[in-house]
Amino acid sequence: MIRVMLTDDQNIVLQGIATLLELSEQIEVVGRADSGEACLEQLAAGLRPDVILLDIHMPGMKGMDALREIQANYRIPVIFLTTFDDAYLRQQGAELGAKGLLLKNIALEELVDAISRVAAGANLLNTADLPHTEHMTPRENLIARALAEGRTNKEIARLQNLSPGTVKNYTSNLFSKLGVRNRAEAIVRLKELGLF
Amino acid sequence: MIRVMLTDDQNIVLQGIATLLELSEQIEVVGRADSGEACLEQLAAGLRPDVILLDIHMPGMKGMDALREIQANYRIPVIFLTTFDDAYLRQQGAELGAKGLLLKNIALEELVDAISRVAAGANLLNTADLPHTEHMTPRENLIARALAEGRTNKEIARLQNLSPGTVKNYTSNLFSKLGVRNRAEAIVRLKELGLF
DNA sequence: CGCCACCCATGACAAAGGTCACTTGCCAAA
DNA sequence: TTTGGCAAGTGACCTTTGTCATGGGTGGCG
C-alpha cells in the first residue's frame, strides 16, 4: 500500500478524490489538507506519506509555495494536480523538484499508475526534455502577484516602495517572459497557469 | 433514492463526487457529463434525473449557458457547484431559474441535504432577499467574453464589427456594473465569478 | 403614442499603460 | 579583478484605456 497525502482547497473534491484512491486498493490516504498551510502543519506534526498530491490553485498559499517549503524540509516526492497542462508549470515545478504534474481530468487508473511510479522513485517531469522557459525572479514574482489581483502600476509602486517607472519595467519584462502583450493578457495567462 | 445528474469538466473530480454521493445511500448518480454540451446531449437522449448538479466554471459552454438551455427545454431543478460564493452568481442563477448554489468546499452531508431539499421542490435561491445586481445585456456579454480573453478594445471592435469608441463605452458600462475600476480588475472579477 | 432599453456611434480629454535607452550599485562567478 | 546578471531607477515618448457629453436608430410595451 502506498501512503498518500492529498491537498486540495475544495472539500468535496478532496474527499471525492480521497475516496476514489482508497477504492483502488493500492493506495491509502493517510493525510488530507485543505490548504498549503494545513499540509505543512501535518508534515511538521510528524506525518510521513510516501507521496504528496498537491493542488496548484488554492487561495492563500499556492501549490508552488507549498512545494518550495516541502522540498526545503523533507524528502517526500510531490505530484501536482491541476486543471491545465502547461509548459511553464512543468518547467517551474520540475525546477523546484516536483516529480509529476497531472491533470484533474484524468482517469483514476492513470492517477494510480502515476502515483505508483513516483512512489517507486520515478520522475515524471524530466527536466532534460522540457522546453526552456525563462522563470521569474523573486521581485517579478511579487509584481506578478499584485498584477494578478488587478492592481495598477501606481498601486504596486506604493505597496512595494518602488517608483512607478520601475514597476513599468518589471511588468514589461514579465509580459515578454509570459509571452503576452499587455497586462490584460498577463492576468489571463497567470490565472490560466493557476499561479495566483 | 434521488436520481442525480452530475456535470463537471474535471474527470477525477466528477468521479470523486459521484462516488461520494453514491456512498451516501440516498442518492443515485444516473448521469455523468464532462461538459455542458455532454449534459444537454444526455438530456436530449432521454435521460431524466430528479436534480442536475452543474459546475459553473467549464471550458466551452459555461454552467450559465447550460442552465439557460436546460430551463428552456426541461423542468428539472438545477443546482450550481462552484468555488466562490458570490452575490452576482446568486442573482444571475436565480433569475435564470437555478434552485441552489453550493460551494465545492462543503461537507458531504450538507450537499446531500441540499440535493434532497431541492428534489422535494425547495428553492435555495430565494430571489426576494437577494441584493439587486444589474445584469448584462447580450451585447455586454459578448464584450465581457472577449475582455476575459485579454483582447484589446481595437481587437474587440474588429471582431464584432463595432467602432473602437463603441467598445470603450461598453467596457466602461461593464466596469460599473461589475463594480470595478478598469479592465484588469474586470478580468479578475470575471474569472472569480467563473463566468468566462 | 410616448417611454424605455438596447444598440451604435463620435470627438475630446485625461489618465494609465508600455517601450526604450541609459545609469547606478551590488554581488557572485570566472 | 573583471565580467555579468539582477535590482532599481529616470525620463522621454507614444499608445491604449477610460470617461463624458451627445447624438441617432430600433423595437417592445402600457
Side-chain angles (χ1 to χ4, degrees), chain B residues 120-136:
Chain B
N123 185 348
L124 306 181
L125 283 181
N126 197 336
T127 320
D129 46 44
L130 285 175
H132 174 65
T133 317
E134 295 184 276
H135 57 289
M136 299 183 207

Side-chain angles (χ1 to χ4, degrees), chain A residues 162-180:
Chain A
L162 296 174
S163 90
T166 306
V167 174
K168 287 195 201 177
N169 288 337
Y170 280 114
T171 51
S172 192
N173 284 336
L174 250 177
F175 300 160
S176 67
K177 287 191 182 178
L178 289 173
V180 301

Side-chain angles (χ1 to χ4, degrees), chain B residues 165-182:
Chain B
T166 305
V167 175
K168 287 197 206 174
N169 289 337
Y170 279 114
T171 52
S172 192
N173 284 336
L174 251 176
F175 299 160
S176 67
K177 287 192 181 176
L178 290 172
V180 300
R181 298 169 300 168
N182 52 46

Side-chain angles (χ1 to χ4, degrees), chain A residues 4 6 13 15-27 29 53 81 102-116, chain B residues 10-17 19 32:
Chain A
V4 165
L6 189 55
V13 175
Q15 303 308 340
I17 297 180
T19 306
L20 276 183
L21 289 177
E22 295 272 9
L23 285 176
S24 78
E25 308 262 324
Q26 297 167 56
I27 289 171
V29 178
L53 287 184
L81 276 178
L102 300 177
L103 297 185
K104 281 190 185 172
N105 83 22
I106 191 185
L108 176 60
E109 313 82 60
E110 295 178 76
L111 179 55
V112 171
D113 180 57
I115 294 174
S116 312
Chain B
Q10 302 179 323
N11 183 63
I12 202 80
V13 174
L14 176 65
Q15 305 307 339
I17 297 179
T19 307
R32 303 173 189 209

Side-chain angles (χ1 to χ4, degrees), chain A residues 50-62:
Chain A
D50 299 321
V51 178
I52 296 175
L53 287 184
L54 209 50
D55 187 23
I56 287 191
H57 194 18
M58 294 185 290
M61 176 180 265
K62 302 296 164 190

Side-chain angles (χ1 to χ4, degrees), chain A residues 57-87:
Chain A
H57 194 18
M58 294 185 290
M61 176 180 265
K62 302 296 164 190
M64 284 293 174
D65 305 323
L67 172 60
R68 234 182 297 265
E69 288 296 315
I70 294 170
Q71 289 298 119
N73 301 300
Y74 312 95
R75 301 231 169 282
I76 305 172
V78 171
I79 298 176
F80 275 134
L81 276 178
T82 183
T83 307
F84 305 96
D85 190 354
D86 189 281

